[in-house]
Amino acid sequence: MHIAVTGNIGAGKTTLTTMLSKHYGWDAQFEDVDHNPYLEDFYADMSKWSFALQIYFLGSRFKQVKEIRESGKNIIQDRTIYEDAHIFAENLNDMNLLSDRDFKNYEAVFTLMKSFVSAPDLLIYLKSDVPNLVKKIYKRGREYEASISIEYLSKLNQKYEKWISNYTEGKLLIIEVDDLDFVEKPEDFGFILEKIEAELNGLF
Ligand SMILES: Nc1ncnc2c1ncn2[C@@H]1O[C@H](COP(=O)(O)OP(=O)(O)O)[C@@H](O)[C@H]1O
Ligand SMILES: Nc1ncnc2c1ncn2[C@H]1C[C@H](O)[C@@H](COP(=O)(O)O)O1
């Protein structure tokens, strides 16, 4: 079984992925953030580094897709390859931080890769509003993310809403996380587990 957790920066994907992986004993796959050679430079100068960063994330996410296909294990994945293309790359192009020429080049590679990608059995979307995202990004305290603007987060949120409302590739569970503290409150984590198990009824 392949479950993926999706959502904007700071929504709680990594935290929930870690908790679910421990709870169910599933393998977890995380984004390449700490060893990412472009992320810090990207936040310092988005226009200069956007193409290099997108290609890097695309490659690392495709490697994960391949591992998921080959492992035959139950896996929970922190963010999907779809988000790189439909949320981040598209938004950078809209904001003129990724040129049309580079975006077309990127899309051609993504389209090729997509034919090898299977959708997760369940996609869990952590929906959050921008003030809460800002709070959580601040709480996490990665220095290079201090430059993330409200405008950038809002545009990403709009892209998420559009993408999720058209998502038909597999089962989808939307969880509004702003009033949930699944880190400190076991009952909030229990609420999420109940929702997941209802969606996966029969597969457990
Ligand atoms: N529901 C929640 N309640 C309380 N704190 C949370 C919640 N979700 C995430 N956090 C905290 O917010 C920060 C960002 O969460 P993280 O899992 O890194 O988000 P993401 O992977 O989506 O960017 C972390 O410090 C995490 O502990
Ligand atoms: N495809 C991407 N383009 C730009 N930035 C990205 C992409 N994928 C992830 N990121 C950034 C956003 C955050 O700063 C870090 C980690 O993501 P998070 O949502 O906090 O798990 O990488």
Side-chain angles (χ1 to χ4, degrees), residues 7-10 13-14 31 33 39 42-43 53-54 57 61 78-79 83-84 88-89 92 140 142 144-145 148 152:
N8 207 339
I9 306 167
K13 299 176 301 298
T14 305
E31 286 182 287
V33 175
L39 198 55
F42 167 74
Y43 280 120
L53 180 74
Q54 291 316 311
F57 267 123
R61 215 84 70 177
D78 177 351
R79 186 166 273 144
E83 290 157 82
D84 295 312
F88 286 95
L92 288 166
R140 178 166 66 197
R142 283 186 198 133
Y144 54 82
E145 289 183 339
I148 294 178
Y152 184 65

PDB file of all heavy atoms in Angstrom, residues 7-10 13-14 31 33 39 42-43 53-54 57 61 78-79 83-84 88-89 92 140 142 144-145 148 152, ligand 2:
ATOM      1  N   GLY A   7       0.452  18.749   0.958  1.00  0.00           N
ATOM      2  CA  GLY A   7       0.042  20.022   1.557  1.00  0.00           C
ATOM      3  C   GLY A   7       1.148  21.061   1.469  1.00  0.00           C
ATOM      4  O   GLY A   7       2.307  20.746   1.186  1.00  0.00           O
ATOM      5  N   ASN A   8       0.738  22.279   1.743  1.00  0.00           N
ATOM      6  CA  ASN A   8       1.645  23.432   1.619  1.00  0.00           C
ATOM      7  C   ASN A   8       2.804  23.348   2.627  1.00  0.00           C
ATOM      8  O   ASN A   8       2.781  22.533   3.558  1.00  0.00           O
ATOM      9  CB  ASN A   8       0.830  24.714   1.842  1.00  0.00           C
ATOM     10  CG  ASN A   8       1.421  25.922   1.137  1.00  0.00           C
ATOM     11  OD1 ASN A   8       2.609  25.942   0.800  1.00  0.00           O
ATOM     12  ND2 ASN A   8       0.611  26.936   0.921  1.00  0.00           N
ATOM     13  N   ILE A   9       3.762  24.227   2.457  1.00  0.00           N
ATOM     14  CA  ILE A   9       4.944  24.279   3.332  1.00  0.00           C
ATOM     15  C   ILE A   9       4.473  24.551   4.768  1.00  0.00           C
ATOM     16  O   ILE A   9       3.751  25.517   5.003  1.00  0.00           O
ATOM     17  CB  ILE A   9       5.903  25.407   2.890  1.00  0.00           C
ATOM     18  CG1 ILE A   9       6.263  25.279   1.409  1.00  0.00           C
ATOM     19  CG2 ILE A   9       7.145  25.438   3.763  1.00  0.00           C
ATOM     20  CD1 ILE A   9       6.956  26.518   0.819  1.00  0.00           C
ATOM     21  N   GLY A  10       4.857  23.701   5.694  1.00  0.00           N
ATOM     22  CA  GLY A  10       4.518  23.899   7.104  1.00  0.00           C
ATOM     23  C   GLY A  10       3.179  23.307   7.526  1.00  0.00           C
ATOM     24  O   GLY A  10       2.788  23.425   8.690  1.00  0.00           O
ATOM     25  N   LYS A  13       3.136  17.840   7.118  1.00  0.00           N
ATOM     26  CA  LYS A  13       3.329  16.571   6.386  1.00  0.00           C
ATOM     27  C   LYS A  13       4.387  15.674   7.034  1.00  0.00           C
ATOM     28  O   LYS A  13       4.164  14.492   7.244  1.00  0.00           O
ATOM     29  CB  LYS A  13       3.748  16.842   4.926  1.00  0.00           C
ATOM     30  CG  LYS A  13       2.758  17.618   4.102  1.00  0.00           C
ATOM     31  CD  LYS A  13       3.292  17.925   2.725  1.00  0.00           C
ATOM     32  CE  LYS A  13       4.566  18.724   2.716  1.00  0.00           C
ATOM     33  NZ  LYS A  13       4.458  20.074   3.313  1.00  0.00           N
ATOM     34  N   THR A  14       5.557  16.270   7.299  1.00  0.00           N
ATOM     35  CA  THR A  14       6.660  15.459   7.826  1.00  0.00           C
ATOM     36  C   THR A  14       6.297  14.905   9.198  1.00  0.00           C
ATOM     37  O   THR A  14       6.574  13.736   9.511  1.00  0.00           O
ATOM     38  CB  THR A  14       7.949  16.315   7.912  1.00  0.00           C
ATOM     39  OG1 THR A  14       8.190  16.859   6.621  1.00  0.00           O
ATOM     40  CG2 THR A  14       9.144  15.499   8.349  1.00  0.00           C
ATOM     41  N   GLU A  31      11.133  14.042   2.034  1.00  0.00           N
ATOM     42  CA  GLU A  31      11.710  14.905   0.997  1.00  0.00           C
ATOM     43  C   GLU A  31      13.196  15.118   1.265  1.00  0.00           C
ATOM     44  O   GLU A  31      13.627  15.100   2.410  1.00  0.00           O
ATOM     45  CB  GLU A  31      11.080  16.298   1.082  1.00  0.00           C
ATOM     46  CG  GLU A  31       9.697  16.372   0.577  1.00  0.00           C
ATOM     47  CD  GLU A  31       9.206  17.807   0.674  1.00  0.00           C
ATOM     48  OE1 GLU A  31       8.934  18.264   1.783  1.00  0.00           O
ATOM     49  OE2 GLU A  31       9.103  18.440  -0.363  1.00  0.00           O
ATOM     50  N   VAL A  33      15.486  17.494   1.927  1.00  0.00           N
ATOM     51  CA  VAL A  33      15.560  18.904   2.327  1.00  0.00           C
ATOM     52  C   VAL A  33      16.943  19.228   2.909  1.00  0.00           C
ATOM     53  O   VAL A  33      17.647  20.118   2.429  1.00  0.00           O
ATOM     54  CB  VAL A  33      14.457  19.235   3.365  1.00  0.00           C
ATOM     55  CG1 VAL A  33      14.592  20.662   3.875  1.00  0.00           C
ATOM     56  CG2 VAL A  33      13.084  19.030   2.741  1.00  0.00           C
ATOM     57  N   LEU A  39      18.354  24.348  -2.150  1.00  0.00           N
ATOM     58  CA  LEU A  39      17.215  24.970  -1.471  1.00  0.00           C
ATOM     59  C   LEU A  39      17.568  26.321  -0.824  1.00  0.00           C
ATOM     60  O   LEU A  39      16.831  27.304  -0.970  1.00  0.00           O
ATOM     61  CB  LEU A  39      16.636  23.988  -0.438  1.00  0.00           C
ATOM     62  CG  LEU A  39      15.238  24.277   0.061  1.00  0.00           C
ATOM     63  CD1 LEU A  39      14.224  24.410  -1.069  1.00  0.00           C
ATOM     64  CD2 LEU A  39      14.783  23.170   1.032  1.00  0.00           C
ATOM     65  N   PHE A  42      18.103  28.871  -3.437  1.00  0.00           N
ATOM     66  CA  PHE A  42      16.812  29.192  -4.065  1.00  0.00           C
ATOM     67  C   PHE A  42      16.081  30.272  -3.274  1.00  0.00           C
ATOM     68  O   PHE A  42      15.566  31.243  -3.843  1.00  0.00           O
ATOM     69  CB  PHE A  42      15.970  27.920  -4.162  1.00  0.00           C
ATOM     70  CG  PHE A  42      14.517  28.138  -4.495  1.00  0.00           C
ATOM     71  CD1 PHE A  42      14.123  28.488  -5.779  1.00  0.00           C
ATOM     72  CD2 PHE A  42      13.542  27.990  -3.511  1.00  0.00           C
ATOM     73  CE1 PHE A  42      12.774  28.686  -6.083  1.00  0.00           C
ATOM     74  CE2 PHE A  42      12.198  28.177  -3.807  1.00  0.00           C
ATOM     75  CZ  PHE A  42      11.819  28.536  -5.095  1.00  0.00           C
ATOM     76  N   TYR A  43      16.033  30.126  -1.950  1.00  0.00           N
ATOM     77  CA  TYR A  43      15.305  31.128  -1.167  1.00  0.00           C
ATOM     78  C   TYR A  43      16.022  32.484  -1.178  1.00  0.00           C
ATOM     79  O   TYR A  43      15.384  33.520  -1.014  1.00  0.00           O
ATOM     80  CB  TYR A  43      15.062  30.630   0.264  1.00  0.00           C
ATOM     81  CG  TYR A  43      13.885  29.671   0.335  1.00  0.00           C
ATOM     82  CD1 TYR A  43      14.040  28.366   0.778  1.00  0.00           C
ATOM     83  CD2 TYR A  43      12.617  30.083  -0.071  1.00  0.00           C
ATOM     84  CE1 TYR A  43      12.959  27.490   0.828  1.00  0.00           C
ATOM     85  CE2 TYR A  43      11.534  29.209  -0.032  1.00  0.00           C
ATOM     86  CZ  TYR A  43      11.711  27.931   0.416  1.00  0.00           C
ATOM     87  OH  TYR A  43      10.639  27.080   0.453  1.00  0.00           O
ATOM     88  N   LEU A  53      16.610  23.936  -8.977  1.00  0.00           N
ATOM     89  CA  LEU A  53      15.909  23.309  -7.853  1.00  0.00           C
ATOM     90  C   LEU A  53      14.802  22.384  -8.344  1.00  0.00           C
ATOM     91  O   LEU A  53      14.624  21.275  -7.831  1.00  0.00           O
ATOM     92  CB  LEU A  53      15.327  24.368  -6.908  1.00  0.00           C
ATOM     93  CG  LEU A  53      14.570  23.781  -5.707  1.00  0.00           C
ATOM     94  CD1 LEU A  53      15.528  23.190  -4.673  1.00  0.00           C
ATOM     95  CD2 LEU A  53      13.687  24.823  -5.024  1.00  0.00           C
ATOM     96  N   GLN A  54      14.039  22.838  -9.346  1.00  0.00           N
ATOM     97  CA  GLN A  54      12.933  21.999  -9.832  1.00  0.00           C
ATOM     98  C   GLN A  54      13.456  20.685 -10.419  1.00  0.00           C
ATOM     99  O   GLN A  54      12.874  19.632 -10.204  1.00  0.00           O
ATOM    100  CB  GLN A  54      12.077  22.742 -10.870  1.00  0.00           C
ATOM    101  CG  GLN A  54      11.263  23.880 -10.288  1.00  0.00           C
ATOM    102  CD  GLN A  54      10.580  23.505  -8.984  1.00  0.00           C
ATOM    103  OE1 GLN A  54       9.935  22.480  -8.877  1.00  0.00           O
ATOM    104  NE2 GLN A  54      10.730  24.343  -7.965  1.00  0.00           N
ATOM    105  N   PHE A  57      14.471  18.434  -7.460  1.00  0.00           N
ATOM    106  CA  PHE A  57      13.337  17.799  -6.767  1.00  0.00           C
ATOM    107  C   PHE A  57      12.678  16.737  -7.651  1.00  0.00           C
ATOM    108  O   PHE A  57      12.280  15.683  -7.172  1.00  0.00           O
ATOM    109  CB  PHE A  57      12.288  18.843  -6.352  1.00  0.00           C
ATOM    110  CG  PHE A  57      12.485  19.373  -4.953  1.00  0.00           C
ATOM    111  CD1 PHE A  57      12.648  20.729  -4.709  1.00  0.00           C
ATOM    112  CD2 PHE A  57      12.482  18.514  -3.858  1.00  0.00           C
ATOM    113  CE1 PHE A  57      12.818  21.215  -3.411  1.00  0.00           C
ATOM    114  CE2 PHE A  57      12.646  18.991  -2.555  1.00  0.00           C
ATOM    115  CZ  PHE A  57      12.809  20.340  -2.341  1.00  0.00           C
ATOM    116  N   ARG A  61      12.392  12.974  -6.458  1.00  0.00           N
ATOM    117  CA  ARG A  61      11.046  12.422  -6.254  1.00  0.00           C
ATOM    118  C   ARG A  61      10.838  11.201  -7.176  1.00  0.00           C
ATOM    119  O   ARG A  61      10.196  10.231  -6.805  1.00  0.00           O
ATOM    120  CB  ARG A  61      10.013  13.493  -6.576  1.00  0.00           C
ATOM    121  CG  ARG A  61       8.796  13.444  -5.701  1.00  0.00           C
ATOM    122  CD  ARG A  61       8.933  14.141  -4.395  1.00  0.00           C
ATOM    123  NE  ARG A  61       8.998  15.574  -4.489  1.00  0.00           N
ATOM    124  CZ  ARG A  61       9.070  16.388  -3.439  1.00  0.00           C
ATOM    125  NH1 ARG A  61       9.092  15.912  -2.217  1.00  0.00           N
ATOM    126  NH2 ARG A  61       9.161  17.682  -3.593  1.00  0.00           N
ATOM    127  N   ASP A  78       6.087  11.505   2.118  1.00  0.00           N
ATOM    128  CA  ASP A  78       5.949  12.920   2.470  1.00  0.00           C
ATOM    129  C   ASP A  78       6.077  13.742   1.179  1.00  0.00           C
ATOM    130  O   ASP A  78       7.173  13.959   0.693  1.00  0.00           O
ATOM    131  CB  ASP A  78       7.079  13.246   3.459  1.00  0.00           C
ATOM    132  CG  ASP A  78       7.132  14.696   3.885  1.00  0.00           C
ATOM    133  OD1 ASP A  78       6.412  15.527   3.317  1.00  0.00           O
ATOM    134  OD2 ASP A  78       7.929  14.994   4.792  1.00  0.00           O
ATOM    135  N   ARG A  79       4.959  14.151   0.626  1.00  0.00           N
ATOM    136  CA  ARG A  79       4.827  14.932  -0.620  1.00  0.00           C
ATOM    137  C   ARG A  79       5.028  14.089  -1.884  1.00  0.00           C
ATOM    138  O   ARG A  79       5.800  13.150  -1.913  1.00  0.00           O
ATOM    139  CB  ARG A  79       5.767  16.141  -0.632  1.00  0.00           C
ATOM    140  CG  ARG A  79       5.528  17.008  -1.838  1.00  0.00           C
ATOM    141  CD  ARG A  79       6.155  18.386  -1.770  1.00  0.00           C
ATOM    142  NE  ARG A  79       5.301  19.360  -1.114  1.00  0.00           N
ATOM    143  CZ  ARG A  79       5.757  20.330  -0.327  1.00  0.00           C
ATOM    144  NH1 ARG A  79       7.032  20.459  -0.127  1.00  0.00           N
ATOM    145  NH2 ARG A  79       4.940  21.169   0.221  1.00  0.00           N
ATOM    146  N   GLU A  83       3.073  17.475  -6.915  1.00  0.00           N
ATOM    147  CA  GLU A  83       3.139  18.819  -6.330  1.00  0.00           C
ATOM    148  C   GLU A  83       4.299  19.637  -6.909  1.00  0.00           C
ATOM    149  O   GLU A  83       4.194  20.851  -7.063  1.00  0.00           O
ATOM    150  CB  GLU A  83       3.277  18.720  -4.803  1.00  0.00           C
ATOM    151  CG  GLU A  83       1.999  18.228  -4.162  1.00  0.00           C
ATOM    152  CD  GLU A  83       2.239  17.611  -2.802  1.00  0.00           C
ATOM    153  OE1 GLU A  83       2.349  18.350  -1.819  1.00  0.00           O
ATOM    154  OE2 GLU A  83       2.323  16.358  -2.726  1.00  0.00           O
ATOM    155  N   ASP A  84       5.417  18.947  -7.198  1.00  0.00           N
ATOM    156  CA  ASP A  84       6.543  19.684  -7.789  1.00  0.00           C
ATOM    157  C   ASP A  84       6.095  20.371  -9.073  1.00  0.00           C
ATOM    158  O   ASP A  84       6.376  21.549  -9.292  1.00  0.00           O
ATOM    159  CB  ASP A  84       7.703  18.713  -8.090  1.00  0.00           C
ATOM    160  CG  ASP A  84       8.271  18.120  -6.823  1.00  0.00           C
ATOM    161  OD1 ASP A  84       8.535  18.888  -5.884  1.00  0.00           O
ATOM    162  OD2 ASP A  84       8.434  16.892  -6.761  1.00  0.00           O
ATOM    163  N   PHE A  88       4.498  23.812  -7.414  1.00  0.00           N
ATOM    164  CA  PHE A  88       5.680  24.676  -7.292  1.00  0.00           C
ATOM    165  C   PHE A  88       6.179  25.209  -8.631  1.00  0.00           C
ATOM    166  O   PHE A  88       6.344  26.414  -8.787  1.00  0.00           O
ATOM    167  CB  PHE A  88       6.802  23.929  -6.551  1.00  0.00           C
ATOM    168  CG  PHE A  88       6.554  23.804  -5.083  1.00  0.00           C
ATOM    169  CD1 PHE A  88       5.954  22.668  -4.556  1.00  0.00           C
ATOM    170  CD2 PHE A  88       6.890  24.823  -4.204  1.00  0.00           C
ATOM    171  CE1 PHE A  88       5.703  22.547  -3.190  1.00  0.00           C
ATOM    172  CE2 PHE A  88       6.647  24.719  -2.840  1.00  0.00           C
ATOM    173  CZ  PHE A  88       6.054  23.572  -2.339  1.00  0.00           C
ATOM    174  N   ALA A  89       6.426  24.318  -9.600  1.00  0.00           N
ATOM    175  CA  ALA A  89       6.993  24.788 -10.876  1.00  0.00           C
ATOM    176  C   ALA A  89       6.001  25.725 -11.580  1.00  0.00           C
ATOM    177  O   ALA A  89       6.379  26.804 -12.067  1.00  0.00           O
ATOM    178  CB  ALA A  89       7.349  23.599 -11.763  1.00  0.00           C
ATOM    179  N   LEU A  92       5.993  29.098  -9.892  1.00  0.00           N
ATOM    180  CA  LEU A  92       7.194  29.899 -10.188  1.00  0.00           C
ATOM    181  C   LEU A  92       7.089  30.504 -11.583  1.00  0.00           C
ATOM    182  O   LEU A  92       7.494  31.646 -11.807  1.00  0.00           O
ATOM    183  CB  LEU A  92       8.455  29.035 -10.050  1.00  0.00           C
ATOM    184  CG  LEU A  92       8.827  28.684  -8.602  1.00  0.00           C
ATOM    185  CD1 LEU A  92       9.866  27.567  -8.555  1.00  0.00           C
ATOM    186  CD2 LEU A  92       9.354  29.922  -7.864  1.00  0.00           C
ATOM    187  N   ARG A 140       9.213  25.843  13.204  1.00  0.00           N
ATOM    188  CA  ARG A 140      10.240  24.903  12.725  1.00  0.00           C
ATOM    189  C   ARG A 140      11.617  25.565  12.686  1.00  0.00           C
ATOM    190  O   ARG A 140      12.625  24.906  12.941  1.00  0.00           O
ATOM    191  CB  ARG A 140       9.829  24.397  11.341  1.00  0.00           C
ATOM    192  CG  ARG A 140      10.809  23.459  10.726  1.00  0.00           C
ATOM    193  CD  ARG A 140      10.228  22.736   9.549  1.00  0.00           C
ATOM    194  NE  ARG A 140       9.925  23.638   8.443  1.00  0.00           N
ATOM    195  CZ  ARG A 140       9.134  23.327   7.431  1.00  0.00           C
ATOM    196  NH1 ARG A 140       8.558  22.151   7.384  1.00  0.00           N
ATOM    197  NH2 ARG A 140       8.920  24.175   6.459  1.00  0.00           N
ATOM    198  N   ARG A 142      13.678  26.916  10.255  1.00  0.00           N
ATOM    199  CA  ARG A 142      14.781  26.826   9.271  1.00  0.00           C
ATOM    200  C   ARG A 142      15.107  28.245   8.821  1.00  0.00           C
ATOM    201  O   ARG A 142      14.234  28.927   8.273  1.00  0.00           O
ATOM    202  CB  ARG A 142      14.340  26.021   8.043  1.00  0.00           C
ATOM    203  CG  ARG A 142      14.308  24.547   8.262  1.00  0.00           C
ATOM    204  CD  ARG A 142      13.987  23.848   6.924  1.00  0.00           C
ATOM    205  NE  ARG A 142      13.536  22.508   7.159  1.00  0.00           N
ATOM    206  CZ  ARG A 142      12.456  21.951   6.595  1.00  0.00           C
ATOM    207  NH1 ARG A 142      11.717  22.637   5.747  1.00  0.00           N
ATOM    208  NH2 ARG A 142      12.124  20.719   6.863  1.00  0.00           N
ATOM    209  N   TYR A 144      16.757  29.660   6.382  1.00  0.00           N
ATOM    210  CA  TYR A 144      16.580  30.106   4.991  1.00  0.00           C
ATOM    211  C   TYR A 144      15.112  30.249   4.607  1.00  0.00           C
ATOM    212  O   TYR A 144      14.796  30.879   3.604  1.00  0.00           O
ATOM    213  CB  TYR A 144      17.323  29.178   4.010  1.00  0.00           C
ATOM    214  CG  TYR A 144      16.990  27.714   4.137  1.00  0.00           C
ATOM    215  CD1 TYR A 144      15.855  27.177   3.547  1.00  0.00           C
ATOM    216  CD2 TYR A 144      17.818  26.855   4.851  1.00  0.00           C
ATOM    217  CE1 TYR A 144      15.560  25.825   3.664  1.00  0.00           C
ATOM    218  CE2 TYR A 144      17.526  25.506   4.972  1.00  0.00           C
ATOM    219  CZ  TYR A 144      16.395  25.000   4.376  1.00  0.00           C
ATOM    220  OH  TYR A 144      16.094  23.666   4.500  1.00  0.00           O
ATOM    221  N   GLU A 145      14.193  29.689   5.420  1.00  0.00           N
ATOM    222  CA  GLU A 145      12.765  29.834   5.101  1.00  0.00           C
ATOM    223  C   GLU A 145      12.171  31.140   5.654  1.00  0.00           C
ATOM    224  O   GLU A 145      11.002  31.435   5.401  1.00  0.00           O
ATOM    225  CB  GLU A 145      11.974  28.630   5.628  1.00  0.00           C
ATOM    226  CG  GLU A 145      12.267  27.362   4.830  1.00  0.00           C
ATOM    227  CD  GLU A 145      11.460  26.141   5.270  1.00  0.00           C
ATOM    228  OE1 GLU A 145      10.957  26.131   6.422  1.00  0.00           O
ATOM    229  OE2 GLU A 145      11.355  25.199   4.483  1.00  0.00           O
ATOM    230  N   ILE A 148      10.372  33.400   3.185  1.00  0.00           N
ATOM    231  CA  ILE A 148       9.137  32.983   2.486  1.00  0.00           C
ATOM    232  C   ILE A 148       8.052  34.034   2.726  1.00  0.00           C
ATOM    233  O   ILE A 148       7.756  34.378   3.873  1.00  0.00           O
ATOM    234  CB  ILE A 148       8.662  31.598   2.977  1.00  0.00           C
ATOM    235  CG1 ILE A 148       9.676  30.518   2.593  1.00  0.00           C
ATOM    236  CG2 ILE A 148       7.284  31.258   2.410  1.00  0.00           C
ATOM    237  CD1 ILE A 148       9.318  29.105   3.081  1.00  0.00           C
ATOM    238  N   TYR A 152       3.783  34.309  -1.517  1.00  0.00           N
ATOM    239  CA  TYR A 152       4.225  33.010  -2.055  1.00  0.00           C
ATOM    240  C   TYR A 152       3.358  31.889  -1.472  1.00  0.00           C
ATOM    241  O   TYR A 152       2.834  31.048  -2.207  1.00  0.00           O
ATOM    242  CB  TYR A 152       5.706  32.829  -1.703  1.00  0.00           C
ATOM    243  CG  TYR A 152       6.371  31.587  -2.254  1.00  0.00           C
ATOM    244  CD1 TYR A 152       6.532  31.405  -3.627  1.00  0.00           C
ATOM    245  CD2 TYR A 152       6.872  30.600  -1.403  1.00  0.00           C
ATOM    246  CE1 TYR A 152       7.178  30.269  -4.131  1.00  0.00           C
ATOM    247  CE2 TYR A 152       7.516  29.470  -1.888  1.00  0.00           C
ATOM    248  CZ  TYR A 152       7.673  29.313  -3.253  1.00  0.00           C
ATOM    249  OH  TYR A 152       8.304  28.187  -3.749  1.00  0.00           O
TER     250      TYR A 152
HETATM  251  N1  LIG B   2       9.271  21.544  -6.047  1.00  0.00           N
HETATM  252  C1  LIG B   2       9.612  22.454  -5.112  1.00  0.00           C
HETATM  253  N2  LIG B   2       9.929  23.712  -5.486  1.00  0.00           N
HETATM  254  C2  LIG B   2      10.282  24.658  -4.599  1.00  0.00           C
HETATM  255  N3  LIG B   2      10.385  24.417  -3.281  1.00  0.00           N
HETATM  256  C3  LIG B   2      10.066  23.178  -2.863  1.00  0.00           C
HETATM  257  C4  LIG B   2       9.665  22.142  -3.742  1.00  0.00           C
HETATM  258  N4  LIG B   2       9.415  21.030  -3.005  1.00  0.00           N
HETATM  259  C5  LIG B   2       9.672  21.354  -1.728  1.00  0.00           C
HETATM  260  N5  LIG B   2      10.067  22.634  -1.641  1.00  0.00           N
HETATM  261  C6  LIG B   2      10.539  23.353  -0.447  1.00  0.00           C
HETATM  262  C7  LIG B   2       9.488  23.926   0.468  1.00  0.00           C
HETATM  263  C8  LIG B   2      10.163  23.872   1.819  1.00  0.00           C
HETATM  264  O1  LIG B   2      11.002  25.008   2.017  1.00  0.00           O
HETATM  265  C9  LIG B   2      11.072  22.635   1.722  1.00  0.00           C
HETATM  266  C10 LIG B   2      10.486  21.412   2.370  1.00  0.00           C
HETATM  267  O2  LIG B   2       9.093  21.309   2.080  1.00  0.00           O
HETATM  268  P1  LIG B   2       8.013  21.119   3.266  1.00  0.00           P
HETATM  269  O3  LIG B   2       6.693  21.476   2.659  1.00  0.00           O
HETATM  270  O4  LIG B   2       8.397  21.999   4.401  1.00  0.00           O
HETATM  271  O5  LIG B   2       8.127  19.671   3.639  1.00  0.00           O
HETATM  272  O6  LIG B   2      11.264  22.402   0.341  1.00  0.00           O
END
